[in-house]
Amino acid sequence: MPVLTYLWIIPLLPLLGAAANGIFGGRWPKNVTTAIALSSTTLSFFAALEAVREFFMLSPDQIPYIKTYFTWISAGGFQADFALQVDQLTVVMLLVVTGVGWLIHIYSSGYMHDDPGYRRFFSYLNLFMFFMLILILAANYLLMFVGWEGVGLCSYLLIGFFFLKQSATNAGNKAFWVNRIGDFGFLLGVLLIFKTFGTLNFSTVLSQAASMSADPAGHIGTLTTIALLLFVGAAGKSAQLPLYVWLPDAMEGPTPVSALIHAATMVTAGVYMVVRSHAIFLNAPVAMQLVGIVGCATALFAASIGLVQTDIKKVLAYSTVSQLGYMFLACGVGAFGAGVFHLMTHAFFKGLLFLAAGSVIHAMGGEQDMRKMGGLRKKIPVTFWTMLMGTLAIAGIPGFSGFFSKDEILGEALRVSPVLGWLGVFAAGLTSFYMFRLIFLTFFGSERYDEHHVHVHESPKSMTIPLIVLAILSVCGGWMAVPQFVGGVNHFEHFLAPVLSSGAGAAAEASQPEAAGPTILQALMGAPVIAGLLGLLLAWWFYIQSPETPKKLAASLSAPYKLLLGKYFIDEIYLAAIVRPLVWVSDKVLWHVVDEGVIDGTVNGVATVSRETGDRLRHANTGNIRSYATWIALGVVVFTSLLLWMVD
């Protein structure tokens, strides 16, 4: 049975797993819950592999492969089909989501084994996989929006998984409301797309957008408005300034959730949506500039906060925000392929880093403060070596996956916009510093924990095997770009070229070899590599060679240190400027004045008048026949007078 014909099987399998565990799982032992959750994602992954194999067998004129199953909505001139599609961009996302998601499910079976909410956790996790696959397989914006909202729902459920903790429920609510702001912009963009193009199908919308004239620089036309609205949605989902505030708090959820949703898949949905809509953005120069500026600012902003965080998961959370900024920087300078390349490598090394952090927390009995760790490398060697691989990758050290993707982004940024490029290079240096700071504080130096209360031990194989696989991908995942350094073709860029090329000559352009990139020597001596090595050496000096220096520096620069430690007090500013005024208006105006005074007052007033009127009329019922006769006579007189008046 050809999987491409039945693409719905790929998302359906996780949905069946979620339904089975969610509805019937309470009657089953834990091993059955595990088997259902893992088998559904395993089968989905292998179905995706088969679909990709069949995709490569298609002829070029059959790409993208679009399969319409039924008409979903038909109203007047509007029609939306339940249609799924596969092209080169879908292939990348499909393998990342199903592959990394499968590994994280395996890891979760060990990490969450003793949690009382085990069945509920896997039901939510499977449901998330279903919605994420709908998002990336959708052939139109409306179906994509269903997946978009679905992953937001699952994010809310999984962030607030430990619902008895007030901080967890607050974090879930925060994620929900901040994402609603972005989703509102995305929905308006979708509505404007339909008004402009008369359809929401990707193939029609993007081909028409590519043939339209670009909005003049500095002018906000229709395409620019659409692009800006779509970017609002992307900024919310992918945690960009100013809507990033939900993601650091999302670390309240279980660590596998952080790895799957907030590192490898969901937060990249915004990047995917922008890349999918690249034909619109290319004709909207104002939006492109804004995407690049916001991406660069977010990368630098979040990296600076990560310098002083002490919670191991919070460091990685701000790192995720920063790396997402690099992806948007790539999109903003037109390097969409480089943005997707970094999306893929980031899924490998950031998924690895979060899972390794979970292994550290597991070994430390739940401790997340790096100041209470130290000297762990010999006690949990698998966790140490795999986390080191992920750190070398995210720092952009040559030979690791992050080197190839980040170097390509910054190289293109330096060419298109030197200011943004150099700021990105500086952020790369900060990234290397805070990541090696994490490594040195956690695994090196003296033991800063009580061995009598903390029995440090390596994680079970269900947790370490996914770490090893992701570590291998973190090393090898960028090697498709190696040939460009010896005058060849970047195979990843070449693979995506048919999707990302716009205009009539797309097929011809895709078939041509790309221009030779920088030489190996130029890449190794480039600014991003130098910045990464400087960050490594500075972290080594601060936390290995001279561990008292950071304390002295924090004391001498107390104001900047407190500013970074307080995360620029953005949450406090939002609380004072937005949340509290809204709460006050809701309480004092909407509740007490509108609800109690106007709505309740009107309803209660009608009831009071009716009651008092009925009470007075009741007294007219005396039982006296003469009284009744008088009222009848009076009624006849009044009624007769009205008739005579109307006749005249």
Side-chain angles (χ1 to χ4, degrees):
M1 181 181 67
V3 175
L4 275 181
T5 306
Y6 301 96
L7 280 172
W8 50 267
I9 291 175
I10 300 175
L12 178 66
L13 288 165
L15 178 62
L16 292 177
N21 278 328
I23 298 172
F24 307 108
R27 308 173 186 175
W28 298 331
K30 184 173 292 185
N31 60 340
V32 175
T33 297
T34 305
I36 291 174
L38 296 188
S39 61
S40 65
T41 51
T42 302
L43 292 172
S44 182
F45 174 58
F46 283 107
L49 288 176
E50 174 59 22
V52 170
R53 187 191 70 80
E54 294 173 13
F55 171 80
F56 283 121
M57 297 174 64
L58 294 175
S59 58
D61 59 346
Q62 292 179 287
I63 299 174
Y65 176 84
I66 302 174
K67 181 67 176 177
T68 301
Y69 296 99
F70 57 86
T71 298
W72 176 26
I73 299 174
S74 181
F78 175 76
Q79 178 173 316
D81 298 325
F82 184 87
L84 305 179
Q85 76 169 39
V86 178
D87 59 14
Q88 289 83 349
L89 179 58
T90 310
V91 165
V92 175
M93 294 297 297
L94 196 59
L95 293 179
V96 167
V97 171
T98 57
V100 177
W102 177 45
L103 292 173
I104 294 173
H105 273 73
I106 296 172
Y107 176 96
S108 300
S109 65
Y111 188 87
M112 299 294 293
H113 186 267
D114 297 324
D115 193 280
Y118 188 82
R119 175 181 62 87
R120 180 167 55 91
F121 176 81
F122 274 108
S123 181
Y124 292 166
L125 214 59
N126 279 177
L127 186 64
F128 168 80
M129 289 285 289
F130 163 73
F131 280 119
M132 190 67 201
L133 289 169
I134 288 293
L135 191 156
I136 62 177
L137 286 169
N140 57 68
Y141 281 100
L142 189 61
L143 191 57
M144 174 191 269
F145 187 72
V146 172
W148 187 276
E149 289 296 293
V151 295
L153 167 66
C154 294
S155 176
Y156 164 76
L157 294 173
L158 286 164
I159 292 170
F161 179 78
F162 301 119
F163 56 83
L164 295 179
K165 288 174 58 180
Q166 187 63 46
S167 58
T169 57
N170 289 343
N173 290 332
K174 188 175 185 179
F176 183 86
W177 285 111
V178 173
N179 273 273
R180 294 291 71 71
I181 297 171
D183 295 352
F184 181 65
F186 183 25
L187 183 58
L188 290 178
V190 170
L191 294 174
L192 187 55
I193 287 173
F194 177 73
K195 183 178 185 300
T196 304
F197 299 100
T199 181
L200 295 178
N201 295 331
F202 291 143
S203 56
T204 305
V205 170
L206 299 180
S207 61
Q208 290 184 19
S211 63
M212 294 173 66
S213 300
D215 289 340
H219 177 70
I220 300 180
T222 301
L223 291 180
T224 301
T225 304
I226 292 173
L228 291 174
L229 290 171
L230 294 180
F231 181 58
V232 171
K237 194 68 71 183
S238 294
Q240 297 296 285
L241 289 171
L243 301 178
Y244 76 96
V245 291
W246 67 271
L247 194 144
D249 288 2
M251 298 304 108
E252 290 289 342
T255 299
V257 173
S258 304
L260 178 63
I261 295 184
H262 307 120
T265 54
M266 189 194 99
V267 291
T268 60
V271 180
Y272 168 74
M273 186 263 286
V274 170
V275 175
R276 175 62 73 192
S277 309
H278 70 282
I280 296 173
F281 281 84
L282 286 173
N283 285 332
V286 172
M288 287 282 284
Q289 292 173 5
L290 181 65
V291 171
I293 292 171
V294 170
C296 183
T298 303
L300 186 59
F301 176 85
S304 65
I305 296 176
L307 295 174
V308 299
Q309 298 302 305
T310 56
D311 185 311
I312 190 170
K313 286 179 66 177
K314 283 292 181 72
V315 174
L316 296 178
Y318 282 104
S319 173
T320 298
V321 176
S322 182
Q323 296 304 306
L324 290 166
Y326 278 111
M327 299 175 207
F328 282 106
L329 172 61
C331 294
V333 298
F336 294 100
V340 177
F341 192 21
H342 197 57
L343 182 157
M344 182 187 73
T345 61
H346 177 263
F348 300 150
F349 60 69
K350 186 53 67 64
L352 168 62
L353 288 168
F354 266 114
L355 294 186
S359 184
V360 171
I361 296 167
H362 178 268
M364 293 293 297
E367 182 58 65
Q368 296 184 197
D369 192 335
M370 296 184 296
R371 296 171 298 182
K372 299 178 182 178
M373 299 179 186
L376 295 177
R377 70 184 186 279
K378 293 181 180 179
K379 297 192 175 185
I380 46 174
V382 175
T383 300
F384 165 66
W385 285 108
T386 53
M387 196 167 197
L388 180 61
M389 296 299 103
T391 300
L392 291 168
I394 194 175
I397 302 303
F400 294 84
S401 61
F403 160 72
F404 298 103
S405 57
K406 189 184 291 186
D407 191 85
E408 188 175 352
I409 291 173
L410 293 177
E412 190 66 17
L414 287 167
R415 184 184 68 82
V416 175
S417 176
V419 174
L420 295 181
W422 282 111
L423 289 174
V425 169
F426 181 62
L430 298 182
T431 300
S432 179
F433 175 83
Y434 68 66
M435 284 307 304
F436 281 103
R437 169 180 176 264
L438 181 152
I439 291 292
F440 295 144
L441 283 175
T442 304
F443 296 102
F444 290 82
S446 60
E447 298 174 355
R448 298 183 296 276
Y449 55 88
D450 188 349
E451 291 189 43
H452 298 291
H453 292 87
V454 180
H455 175 58
V456 179
H457 57 287
E458 187 61 271
S459 299
K461 288 185 178 180
S462 60
M463 295 172 64
T464 55
I465 290 176
L467 293 181
I468 294 170
V469 174
L470 288 172
I472 294 171
L473 292 172
S474 296
V475 175
C476 304
W479 288 2
M480 287 182 289
V482 169
Q484 72 171 336
F485 295 108
V486 290
V489 175
N490 182 329
H491 291 298
F492 189 86
E493 294 273 357
H494 186 66
F495 175 69
L496 287 178
V499 176
L500 300 181
S501 300
S502 57
E509 184 179 336
S511 64
Q512 297 297 322
E514 297 179 12
T519 66
I520 292 177
L521 183 61
Q522 289 173 329
L524 295 179
M525 296 299 293
V529 173
I530 293 174
L533 293 175
L534 286 175
L536 189 162
L537 292 174
L538 194 60
W540 172 81
W541 176 264
F542 274 20
Y543 297 98
I544 299 296
Q545 189 66 22
S546 180
E548 295 300 319
T549 301
K551 296 179 182 178
K552 295 178 181 178
L553 193 62
S556 61
L557 299 173
S558 60
Y561 176 76
K562 290 179 180 178
L563 184 65
L564 294 178
L565 192 63
K567 298 164 286 189
Y568 294 99
F569 303 102
I570 299 297
D571 284 308
E572 289 77 6
I573 293 172
Y574 283 179
L575 182 65
I578 300 175
V579 177
R580 285 176 179 165
L582 284 176
V583 171
W584 185 89
V585 170
S586 300
D587 181 28
K588 304 299 182 183
V589 179
L590 297 180
W591 178 15
H592 292 300
V593 176
V594 177
D595 191 12
E596 291 184 339
V598 178
I599 299 175
D600 288 352
T602 301
V603 173
N604 294 337
V606 170
T608 301
V609 170
S610 300
R611 184 181 67 250
E612 292 179 353
T613 303
D615 183 64
R616 291 177 181 177
L617 290 175
R618 178 173 60 84
H619 291 293
N621 188 11
T622 62
N624 189 310
I625 295 177
R626 286 181 298 179
S627 176
Y628 293 161
T630 302
W631 283 111
I632 291 172
L634 182 61
V636 169
V637 171
V638 171
F639 184 69
T640 304
S641 300
L642 285 174
L643 287 176
L644 293 174
W645 177 75
M646 292 174 65
V647 170
D648 293 339

